[in-house]
Amino acid sequence: MHSDVIASEHATRLAAVDPLLPGSIAFETSENAVVLGVEAGGSAAAGLASRVQVDRDAPNAPWRALTEHRLDLQLAGPRPADALDALLTRWDEHLRAAAEPGDTETAAIVPRASRDAAGAREMLHHGFAPLRVIAVRPAERMTPAGPRGTPGVKIRRAEPGDLDTAVALGMELHSYDAQFGTVNLRAGVEEILAKDLAEQLKRPEPPLWIAELYGRPLGMVNVQHPGETGWISDRVAATRVGYLSSLAVAEAARSSGVGTALATHAHQVLDEEGADVVLLHHAAANPRSTPFWYAQGYRPLWTYWQRRPAVR
């Protein structure tokens, strides 16, 4: 099946399950990626296999494996699960020549539209688990009222003097998320977070807000405004995209309303800037963040299936 036909059929199939998904164009081999193609069961699949090397000191390094092998895929035909199974087998052959077996700082990652259920069983059979989600909140999505009346909670823009508080909250969030397999605990994370947060706090209007509960700084939220989100805006069919980088609440303040107040404030800021949607990442298995975010008006858009190490 021709690559243009696969891309077109794939886009049509996904548009039927989720109108917020972007369209698809045929994959092309480049310097950093190779196209894999298979046919099975009267269906076809194309995959764009790439490798990303993450600098250990980069701001996003604490949240990722240092070597990511990624497969973007397109499925077409009446039996897409069969085609996916064959494509994953083909990709495994490719990975065995490209990745070191057993290296826990490598990950094999397959982004899939969350509402596209075809092939989920095959993903599991190949050792993948749905670990990370890009969730979306459309601007018109209403959330429960109430945070503005949460007793004792005050939201204010962060200042340079909040650096220690922000780092401590970021480390607590990172350590908690590491339990769910999306990141590794490694040396140097605190220094990376401190450097990144310090740079943000130097901005005239830092995109970081602190929540105080009866005067104690116990939560923070960090956002990226439309115009700063080009790195992720192609994952959604929207013009103006906001991104909620992180929200952290100290354990002592959980279930106090601090998290909901922070989320509501972030949404108000981004809504006032005309964001059509807000995106965020969360660990799918996190028993706190998953119900919390969906109560704030989010839903899954992309699910990142992952296998760590990339080759066992």
Side-chain angles (χ1 to χ4, degrees), residues 16-199:
V17 299
D18 194 336
L20 284 179
L21 293 170
S24 300
I25 60 174
F27 294 139
E28 294 184 2
T29 295
S30 67
E31 181 180 352
N32 300 314
V34 60
V35 177
L36 307 176
V38 297
E39 294 190 14
S43 296
L48 187 67
S50 60
R51 169 177 169 160
V52 175
Q53 196 70 40
V54 179
D55 186 338
R56 183 179 288 269
D57 297 324
N60 63 350
W63 311 101
R64 304 171 66 174
L66 296 180
T67 303
E68 294 181 345
H69 298 272
R70 172 166 164 158
L71 183 71
D72 292 283
L73 55 85
Q74 296 171 347
L75 308 175
R79 299 174 64 91
D82 289 351
L84 175 58
D85 186 34
L87 180 62
L88 291 174
T89 298
R90 173 71 184 85
W91 190 40
D92 276 338
E93 296 170 355
H94 173 79
L95 286 178
R96 281 194 286 271
E100 185 70 26
D103 184 352
T104 58
E105 280 293 4
T106 66
I109 300 172
V110 183
R112 301 210 59 199
S114 297
R115 292 182 173 179
D116 183 20
R121 179 178 54 194
E122 284 69 23
M123 296 293 300
L124 294 169
H125 287 173
H126 283 266
F128 289 86
L131 293 188
R132 202 174 187 208
V133 171
I134 295 179
V136 60
R137 176 189 179 271
E140 69 275 9
R141 184 68 61 88
M142 298 299 292
T143 54
R148 291 185 178 87
T150 303
V153 177
K154 174 186 175 183
I155 308 296
R156 61 173 176 80
R157 193 182 291 272
E159 302 172 348
D162 292 308
L163 179 60
D164 288 347
T165 294
V167 172
L169 288 167
M171 285 300 298
E172 188 172 341
L173 175 64
H174 182 270
S175 297
Y176 191 79
D177 266 2
Q179 300 175 96
F180 307 108
T182 56
V183 297
N184 279 358
L185 292 173
R186 64 174 78 97
V189 168
E190 186 170 357
E191 289 78 8
I192 293 170
L193 290 178
K195 181 179 179 181
D196 182 46
L197 289 166
E199 289 296 320

